[in-house]
Amino acid sequence: MEVPLNPIGREEIHRLESILLFATLFRPEVIELIKDPAERLTWVDSLAVAAGALAREKAGMTVREIAEELGRTEQTIRKHLKGETKAGQLVRETYELIKQGKLDELVRNVEVLAKGGQLVAMEEYEKLKKEKEELENKVRELEERIKALEEENHQLKAKLENIRKALDDALERIKEVEKLL
């Protein structure tokens, strides 16, 4: 799934907003900042507003429209967008990292979570991927073997039919010889 860096429409705005929020939250320096339970709620709220503001700005909305939609003052929105707040700075940095492709794995993880999936560690993913490839190869081998056995079965049926004909001919000759005797 592509990250809509310049979203068009509500769905893309919300997707960019979610990716910005989660990708920022999972940055190591932010995890350190939100370890303090007293600060966590404030940080998460500020990051959510900053992510929402930046996503909407990238969609071409005005500061007034963003402020109305997010239920914040225009001054708050401006501060986040200009990077005058720590949350605004972090979200903008995250946007730039995503733009440069430096957070691709994190973005994929966020997308998996957004779709209701569970994250799998890269080692586990690679192991499962290899196992899947091995199973697919086994399936192909078995399909080829089935095809070969079906061909062999067809040939054996043809031989059996020839033997039946030969036996029928032999029985017919035996009956003719018996009549003659």
Side-chain angles (χ1 to χ4, degrees):
M1 179 185 292
E2 194 81 14
V3 176
L5 295 173
N6 294 301
I8 300 171
R10 291 276 168 228
E11 187 178 317
E12 286 188 1
I13 289 171
H14 292 297
R15 195 164 64 216
L16 177 58
E17 178 180 15
S18 297
I19 290 169
L20 284 171
L21 176 59
F22 289 113
T24 304
L25 275 171
F26 289 111
R27 288 176 52 190
E29 63 269 33
V30 176
I31 290 172
E32 283 300 314
L33 291 170
I34 63 174
K35 279 186 177 177
D36 179 5
E39 297 290 322
R40 187 173 302 133
L41 191 57
T42 303
W43 267 107
V44 172
D45 181 63
S46 292
L47 289 171
V49 173
L54 185 61
R56 285 161 179 78
E57 178 190 53
K58 294 299 178 185
M61 291 176 70
T62 66
V63 171
R64 174 180 284 152
E65 291 170 329
I66 296 168
E68 286 176 15
E69 192 164 306
L70 297 180
R72 297 300 198 282
T73 66
E74 289 181 34
Q75 180 182 2
T76 299
I77 299 303
R78 274 192 201 88
K79 282 184 177 184
H80 282 308
L81 292 176
K82 289 179 181 177
E84 293 175 3
T85 64
K86 185 68 174 169
Q89 288 171 7
L90 289 166
V91 168
R92 190 162 293 279
E93 286 171 11
T94 301
Y95 178 84
E96 291 303 320
L97 290 170
I98 291 169
K99 196 172 166 181
Q100 296 166 16
K102 293 182 179 176
L103 292 180
D104 286 348
E105 185 177 333
L106 181 56
V107 169
R108 277 192 297 276
N109 290 343
V110 168
E111 289 171 346
V112 168
L113 287 172
K115 291 179 183 176
Q118 293 181 351
L119 291 180
V120 178
M122 280 309 282
E123 289 176 14
E124 182 69 14
Y125 170 77
E126 291 300 328
K127 179 182 164 191
L128 291 171
K129 184 178 173 184
K130 184 178 178 184
E131 189 177 324
K132 177 184 176 258
E133 289 169 0
E134 289 171 359
L135 289 171
E136 287 172 341
N137 287 336
K138 279 187 179 181
V139 166
R140 276 193 292 279
E141 288 173 16
L142 289 171
E143 286 173 342
E144 289 172 10
R145 182 71 179 130
I146 288 170
K147 204 174 192 179
L149 288 172
E150 286 174 342
E151 180 60 33
E152 190 177 327
N153 185 34
H154 179 71
Q155 291 172 357
L156 288 173
K157 281 183 178 180
K159 285 181 182 178
L160 182 60
E161 188 59 35
N162 288 338
I163 291 170
R164 278 194 183 127
K165 285 181 184 177
L167 283 174
D168 286 344
D169 288 346
L171 286 173
E172 201 56 45
R173 284 191 205 137
I174 290 172
K175 286 181 185 177
E176 288 175 15
V177 169
E178 283 179 344
K179 282 182 188 178
L180 290 174
L181 291 174

